[in-house]
Amino acid sequence: MKTYSDYMWLKRQLAEMTEVLSENLDSPLMRASLENRIESLKAELDTMEEMEYHDTSLRLWFGGDAVYGSLGIFSDFASKTSVILSNMIATKYVEIISGKPSEAERGKIRGFGKSKMVISNVLHGSFGYELGWVQNDLFSELDASQAIEEVIKLIDIAAKDEEKLDELLQEESPRTVTYLRNFYKTVSETSNILKMESGMNSTNLSKDELAIGYSRVKETNITDRIVTINARLSGIFIDSGSFEFVGEDGKREVGQTSAELSDEQLTEYAQLYTNKECNLILKEYKKTPVHGTAKTTYELLKIQDL
């Protein structure tokens, strides 16, 4: 079975042979041989493009004050941006595997486990790095590839399509919006370019586009406060790190459990309070985009008797 690496190798071969052919070759035999090989490569690529590939690596390039001439990328910048991106991809990954795209809110990123992004290579041509997916199984790779694709698209749209960005920010979790804002802040203040590639997905942003993107995403306001709610606990779902409750107004709400709560504590809460009235100690997050309506989400901190 052909892999994504095979596909990219054929693309490079095609580019190299096309470049050689563009030179005025004196040998008719060599020209004919190259033309035949180019046609063969095109036919193989056409066949492969009908298949679906899941690239689980993310390549990034930067410039300006993020890099030191042609010698390398500053470690503090690489550390900040790689951590933000890894967490952003982790959040998207959990949203995908839990089947709840708007519920990977604040709290522990459950379900992520050992499936993390690591810096697997340093890239030249400007300078950058490559993030690679640790876990290696078919289903993990498929979901990770989708998570990386969604992150690239979100970063691209922030700089290039304000109307579409407003729509997306209505649906995105506060966690994702915070990571997006922090990434744009770090990159726009330091680098004069951003290039990202993963599989067929890519973006290439100039210094002006980075500034535009940051100006848009930073306007989304996220506030939080601790609240106590008299509610009926509907359930706690440890695998996805989520919980459900019905408030005093009769409305069903879904939130995420805190990173400070162990699986044992969550199991105990579920046994004691499921389908019972109790006091939920919550952190309430309110996300207010520039355009559109505010969105409120919850993080479970503690449960007490009435």
Side-chain angles (χ1 to χ4, degrees):
M1 179 179 177
K2 297 290 186 181
T3 66
Y4 180 78
S5 297
D6 295 329
Y7 177 83
M8 293 306 297
W9 183 83
L10 290 171
K11 292 279 283 187
R12 286 192 293 270
Q13 288 288 303
L14 179 60
E16 291 172 3
M17 292 189 179
T18 302
E19 183 178 356
V20 173
L21 186 62
S22 66
E23 300 173 1
N24 294 322
L25 299 177
D26 295 330
S27 171
L29 284 176
M30 183 177 288
R31 175 174 290 276
S33 176
L34 280 171
E35 288 174 343
N36 289 335
R37 178 56 178 156
I38 287 172
E39 289 304 313
S40 175
L41 286 170
K42 286 181 177 179
E44 190 169 0
L45 284 167
D46 286 343
T47 301
M48 293 181 71
E49 284 175 352
E50 296 175 0
M51 303 171 66
E52 187 174 6
Y53 295 93
H54 307 293
D55 189 6
T56 56
S57 61
L58 173 59
R59 294 164 292 283
L60 304 101
W61 290 265
F62 307 94
D65 293 335
V67 302
Y68 186 66
S70 60
L71 297 179
I73 184 170
F74 285 106
S75 59
D76 58 345
F77 176 82
S79 175
K80 287 179 183 177
T81 54
S82 63
V83 168
I84 295 169
L85 279 173
S86 293
N87 287 333
M88 194 171 175
I89 292 167
T91 301
K92 283 292 182 184
Y93 177 79
V94 173
E95 291 174 357
I96 292 165
I97 64 173
S98 68
K100 300 173 182 177
S102 64
E103 292 174 16
E105 308 294 355
R106 301 276 180 169
K108 189 174 181 179
I109 305 178
R110 299 178 184 274
F112 193 46
K114 297 181 179 179
S115 303
K116 297 182 180 180
M117 303 294 289
V118 297
I119 294 180
S120 57
N121 197 10
V122 176
L123 306 175
H124 299 274
S126 276
F127 261 93
Y129 55 82
E130 179 176 337
L131 290 173
W133 188 246
V134 172
Q135 198 176 68
N136 186 25
D137 65 72
L138 179 60
F139 295 108
S140 167
E141 288 185 354
L142 189 153
D143 294 330
S145 177
Q146 182 181 340
I148 294 169
E149 176 184 348
E150 291 183 11
V151 167
I152 293 175
K153 287 182 177 179
L154 185 56
I155 290 171
D156 182 72
I157 286 170
K160 297 178 180 178
D161 192 335
E162 185 174 13
E163 184 176 346
K164 181 66 174 176
L165 177 66
D166 287 341
E167 295 177 7
L168 290 177
L169 292 183
Q170 288 290 311
E171 303 299 325
E172 292 295 343
S173 67
R175 183 196 291 274
T176 298
V177 175
T178 299
Y179 288 144
L180 179 66
R181 185 169 56 194
N182 291 344
F183 180 74
Y184 256 107
K185 182 179 188 298
T186 302
V187 177
S188 65
E189 291 178 351
T190 311
S191 182
N192 60 8
I193 62 164
L194 170 64
K195 182 178 179 181
M196 305 176 72
E197 288 183 356
S198 180
M200 304 295 186
N201 305 288
S202 65
T203 186
N204 198 338
L205 304 179
S206 66
K207 183 176 180 64
D208 288 342
E209 287 173 322
L210 288 169
I212 290 170
Y214 179 48
S215 71
R216 290 171 178 167
V217 298
K218 75 176 181 180
E219 292 176 347
T220 298
N221 186 36
I222 298 177
T223 58
D224 64 80
R225 62 174 184 151
I226 305 297
V227 298
T228 299
I229 297 178
N230 183 332
R232 176 179 291 272
L233 180 68
S234 301
I236 296 176
F237 311 100
I238 296 174
D239 288 344
S240 63
S242 62
F243 73 105
E244 293 184 4
F245 66 93
V246 178
E248 293 177 317
D249 59 358
K251 183 179 178 181
R252 183 176 296 275
E253 301 281 0
V254 178
Q256 287 298 114
T257 55
S258 169
E260 303 303 317
L261 296 175
S262 67
D263 289 352
E264 291 76 16
Q265 181 66 71
L266 291 172
T267 300
E268 183 179 347
Y269 280 156
Q271 292 172 343
L272 290 173
Y273 297 108
T274 297
N275 293 322
K276 295 180 180 179
E277 298 288 333
C278 55
N279 282 328
L280 300 179
I281 314 301
L282 309 172
K283 182 171 281 190
E284 179 187 77
Y285 295 93
K286 183 166 287 187
K287 180 185 66 178
T288 309
V290 178
H291 308 106
T293 58
K295 178 180 180 180
T296 302
T297 56
Y298 299 97
E299 176 187 353
L300 177 63
L301 305 179
K302 191 175 182 180
I303 304 180
Q304 296 176 334
D305 294 331
L306 291 176

